[in-house]
Amino acid sequence: MKKSFYVLGFITFFILGIGAMFEFLSWPYRGVIVFIGFLFLNFGFIPAYFYQKYKQC
């Protein structure tokens, strides 16, 4: 579970970083990439983080 948490976190922040780069350079599809990154963050990484913290208690 911990390894998948780290992989999900890497993928999430990688997508957000690529989206930020696209925003700064004004390349096409920048909004879509940032949106996908925030979806991964809100529906994948944050719930996995809180689930992991819940299991530790």
Side-chain angles (χ1 to χ4, degrees):
M1 178 67 183
K2 200 169 198 174
K3 186 176 180 181
S4 63
F5 174 72
Y6 288 129
V7 169
L8 182 63
F10 175 78
I11 290 171
T12 299
F13 290 108
F14 181 77
I15 290 173
L16 284 173
I18 294 295
M21 182 186 74
F22 273 49
E23 282 284 341
F24 291 137
L25 298 174
S26 298
W27 288 352
Y29 303 110
R30 57 189 178 265
V32 174
I33 295 171
V34 172
F35 180 71
I36 290 171
F38 277 116
L39 283 179
F40 272 104
L41 181 67
N42 289 327
F43 295 113
F45 184 72
I46 292 176
Y49 173 77
F50 283 118
Y51 180 73
Q52 182 181 3
K53 290 298 180 184
Y54 173 75
K55 292 296 273 187
Q56 286 179 352
C57 290

